[in-house]
Amino acid sequence: MGSEFLVLAKAFLVENGVLLASVAAVVVIVVEIVFKPVRGLWRWFRRKAPTPPGPVQTAHVGGVSAEGDVNQAVVTGKAGDISRDVTTVTGGSAPTTGRDQYNYGHSTQDIVALARNLGVTEGAVNAFLRRIGETEVPAERIPQTLETMAERFHALQAEVKLLRAHTPEVAEPEVAAAEAAIEAGDFDEAERLLAQIGEAHDRAAAETWAMRGQVRMTTLRYRGAAAAYFEAAKRIPADDAEDWREHTRAGGIALRQLGLEFGDNAALAEAADVFRQMAERFPRAVASDHWADAQNLIGIASQELGSRESGAARLEEAVAAFRAALAEWTRERVPLDWAGTQNNLGNALQVLGERESGTARLEEAVAAYRAALEEWTRERVPLDWAGTQNNLGNALQVLGERESGTARLEEAVAAFRAALQVYTQERVPLDWAGTQNNLGAALRALGERESGTARLEEAVAAYRAALQERTRERVPLDWAGTQGNLAGAFIALYEKTEDRRLLDQALECCALAEPVFAEAAPYHAEALARIKARALALRRSCRSPFTDPRIEKGIGQIDD
């Protein structure tokens, strides 16, 4: 479906008078793109996270450093392919609900087309877009969010159909009414009808609570979804451990999504506790696969929490949990799950390694990524392979920065270029841009150690390539980060060539990025200020006048 879908989505949002929120005012904390401090760079790396019903599913993450370059992450799949078109129509802003109801009027064709491309009803599309506005989903997340909501809608439809088979005592009109409400996108009415069925038929109580959880997942109400799933688990007979696990797991994942998508650390901690309960209920000696699944889930929640905290305890817990999962999810038994968990382990070790002065953890991270690539091959799972190549490149780059030679940095460049063989601009434009950004960082690190300027010029070219897709309207924080990286590359080039125009270009990049970081990411504004101060200090020593009055003003502020 691709570009047509996003064009229609953006057209719908604009033509129906949906108010556009200031992107800078949005706190961007999402599953796929996360900023965190790293050594010397704004980075991007890939996380693998399980969701029901299967054990693992992939995503990406990234971050900003205090010194000057950026490496970041994105999500693979259809959303990457279609995001360019969504930006073209909506102008990159997130919709909000500025009025009680949307007047669809003359946009019926857009609704029909969106419904067809998503495979859902027109009523569902209306409800999805309304909910996206209410929750202020960032503009860059709209395509992915629409597709996720559509997938959950399909799962909900299937569950209601199963209600007939599982509970024949429920009258057909009752089920039909709930189905009709779901088809119409009237999810509040669907919940009311499901609650009535559960109250009237004891055998259907657990099942209808679980369906209500799915309704709430579909509409991004994660806290409520978790509560509904836990209610379902309470109504499961004591001897039915499998159904208890299914509902409890779903509740924990709802809490995890709340933490990942909305920055709720307490929800992440609650999710980890839920998964620990699952591990206790299904010990390794009794149900090894369920125990390993719980360990992997514990690791994912703990890693995310640890990435947001200053200490190492959560990250150590994540490493221990992933290693526990690998004790059961062996390469011989479940090769793809083994590879996904190796990738997760590598990510946790990399974050720990970036915070420590030694290289042991980073070496372990490299080993874990390389292990994952033994099963996540390009032929078998190309996007997973590319994402892990990107992660490997990041770990190698950090190692290379701590060593005197250039071998690790050369390996990092090779890994990023390998990833770009799959992450093409046409296929997954934002993933391609994130990897171009990372490639630029590795090339800059190499260029700073070499006597010539060829590598630094390649770094500038890679950053400029990234900015073709990382626009301010589309992904403002990523755009600002790459602008900061580009400024650092210009400074490094100046130090080899003494071409003062490069300092003007560096300061122009800083001036462009400043307002975005100042409003939405104060920590990164401080990092950018250090880059600017370096460029200003160098430029102040030059005798020729500045080409941009903003730069003169900047020097005056520094002098003051």
Side-chain angles (χ1 to χ4, degrees):
M1 57 194 204
S3 58
E4 178 190 2
F5 164 72
L6 291 187
V7 169
L8 291 167
K10 289 196 126 184
F12 168 77
L13 292 171
V14 171
E15 291 178 16
N16 286 285
V18 180
L19 300 183
L20 301 179
S22 168
V23 173
V26 177
V27 179
V28 183
I29 304 175
V30 299
V31 179
E32 298 76 16
I33 302 175
V34 180
F35 284 109
K36 61 176 181 292
V38 297
R39 183 182 177 86
L41 305 166
W42 279 289
R43 292 190 202 286
W44 174 85
F45 73 89
R46 187 171 199 264
R47 176 177 60 232
K48 187 158 175 61
T51 54
V56 250
Q57 176 184 349
T58 58
H60 301 260
V61 218
V64 173
S65 85
E67 296 296 329
D69 276 329
V70 186
N71 289 38
Q72 280 151 355
V74 280
V75 172
T76 61
K78 290 185 292 183
D81 293 327
I82 61 181
S83 60
R84 179 190 296 115
D85 303 291
V86 164
T87 302
T88 301
V89 181
T90 62
S93 297
T96 61
T97 49
R99 41 191 167 166
D100 292 336
Q101 293 184 340
Y102 294 95
N103 176 19
Y104 298 123
H106 62 280
S107 295
T108 301
Q109 286 184 325
D110 292 338
I111 294 292
V112 171
L114 272 174
R116 181 181 65 249
N117 288 328
L118 284 170
V120 302
T121 64
E122 296 168 36
V125 169
N126 291 337
F128 294 169
L129 291 169
R130 186 176 294 110
R131 186 60 180 160
I132 284 172
E134 291 169 354
T135 54
E136 297 184 350
V137 173
E140 65 270 25
R141 292 275 299 146
I142 292 172
Q144 176 75 22
T145 301
L146 280 169
E147 292 190 353
T148 298
M149 295 173 89
E151 289 168 5
R152 291 170 179 167
F153 179 83
H154 295 316
L156 177 60
Q157 288 177 308
E159 287 180 18
V160 174
K161 290 184 186 304
L162 286 174
L163 184 62
R164 289 186 173 89
H166 293 170
T167 52
E169 67 272 21
V170 177
E172 173 59 27
E174 294 178 277
V175 179
E179 279 185 316
I182 291 166
E183 294 286 319
D186 190 346
F187 295 111
D188 289 340
E189 176 64 7
E191 265 222 66
R192 187 187 69 79
L193 292 167
L194 288 169
Q196 282 185 351
I197 294 172
E199 290 168 3
H201 307 279
D202 288 342
R203 286 186 58 198
E207 198 163 355
T208 54
W209 269 112
M211 289 179 195
R212 292 169 68 181
Q214 186 65 24
V215 169
R216 296 172 189 182
M217 288 292 288
T218 304
T219 53
L220 312 181
R221 294 179 291 161
Y222 295 127
R223 174 68 69 179
Y229 285 127
F230 295 146
E231 284 293 333
K234 289 178 185 177
R235 286 161 170 75
I236 296 297
D239 60 348
D240 192 349
E242 285 295 330
D243 280 355
W244 177 90
R245 173 184 174 273
E246 177 185 343
H247 300 320
T248 301
R249 187 181 191 275
I253 286 174
L255 290 170
R256 190 198 68 194
Q257 289 307 112
L258 178 61
L260 291 174
E261 295 184 29
F262 295 96
D264 190 329
N265 288 353
L268 280 172
E270 290 176 65
D273 287 339
V274 169
F275 301 140
R276 289 188 193 97
Q277 291 174 24
M278 289 170 53
E280 292 173 2
R281 179 78 179 267
F282 294 91
R284 181 179 179 184
V286 176
S288 58
D289 279 339
H290 290 347
W291 178 83
D293 177 58
Q295 293 294 337
N296 193 43
L297 288 164
I298 291 166
I300 291 166
S302 298
Q303 182 191 332
E304 186 61 33
L305 273 173
S307 298
R308 299 177 187 183
E309 297 173 352
S310 58
R314 297 278 194 183
L315 292 168
E316 295 283 7
E317 183 180 2
V319 168
F322 290 136
R323 285 183 167 147
L326 288 167
E328 288 297 331
W329 280 353
T330 64
R331 183 179 180 183
E332 294 72 27
R333 289 185 60 234
V334 281
L336 294 182
D337 293 344
W338 173 84
T341 308
Q342 287 284 2
N343 182 73
N344 287 350
L345 174 62
N347 290 342
L349 288 165
Q350 184 176 166
V351 178
L352 274 171
E354 288 169 350
R355 296 181 181 184
E356 298 174 355
S357 58
T359 60
R361 298 285 198 170
L362 292 168
E363 295 281 8
E364 290 181 81
V366 167
Y369 291 137
R370 285 183 167 148
L373 289 167
E374 293 174 11
E375 292 295 338
W376 273 2
T377 63
R378 181 177 178 180
E379 296 72 26
R380 181 187 259 175
V381 282
L383 291 176
D384 291 342
W385 174 85
T388 305
Q389 288 284 0
N390 177 79
N391 290 353
L392 174 62
N394 282 333
L396 289 165
Q397 183 178 333
V398 179
L399 272 172
E401 291 166 353
R402 297 184 182 181
E403 299 174 352
S404 57
T406 61
R408 298 284 198 174
L409 293 173
E410 293 282 7
E411 289 182 77
V413 168
F416 292 133
R417 286 186 166 145
L420 287 168
Q421 294 172 20
V422 171
Y423 281 169
T424 64
Q425 187 173 8
E426 297 71 29
R427 184 180 192 181
V428 280
L430 288 178
D431 292 13
W432 172 83
T435 309
Q436 286 285 359
N437 179 77
N438 291 359
L439 174 62
L443 288 165
R444 174 186 159 184
L446 272 172
E448 288 173 340
R449 296 186 181 186
E450 297 178 352
S451 57
T453 62
R455 298 285 199 170
L456 290 172
E457 288 167 0
E458 288 182 78
V460 168
Y463 290 138
R464 284 178 166 158
L467 290 169
Q468 293 175 24
E469 299 295 342
R470 285 184 162 190
T471 63
R472 180 172 183 174
E473 297 74 24
R474 184 185 199 174
V475 282
L477 288 177
D478 291 349
W479 171 82
T482 302
Q483 291 287 359
N485 287 352
L486 185 56
F490 283 139
I491 292 170
L493 268 173
Y494 167 79
E495 290 172 336
K496 291 183 181 292
T497 65
E498 296 189 352
D499 182 345
R500 290 170 291 193
R501 293 172 299 177
L502 292 166
L503 294 178
D504 289 352
Q505 289 178 282
L507 288 163
E508 182 178 359
C509 289
C510 291
L512 290 169
E514 278 178 316
V516 174
F517 278 160
E519 291 191 43
Y523 172 80
H524 309 311
E526 294 173 9
L528 186 69
R530 286 189 283 275
I531 300 170
K532 179 180 177 181
R534 173 65 175 159
L536 286 171
L538 292 168
R539 191 62 180 85
R540 190 170 46 200
S541 66
C542 300
R543 296 184 180 276
S544 62
F546 288 94
T547 58
D548 189 327
R550 292 176 298 177
I551 298 172
E552 288 281 12
K553 181 180 179 183
I555 279 195
Q557 292 170 343
I558 292 290
D559 287 338
D560 291 342

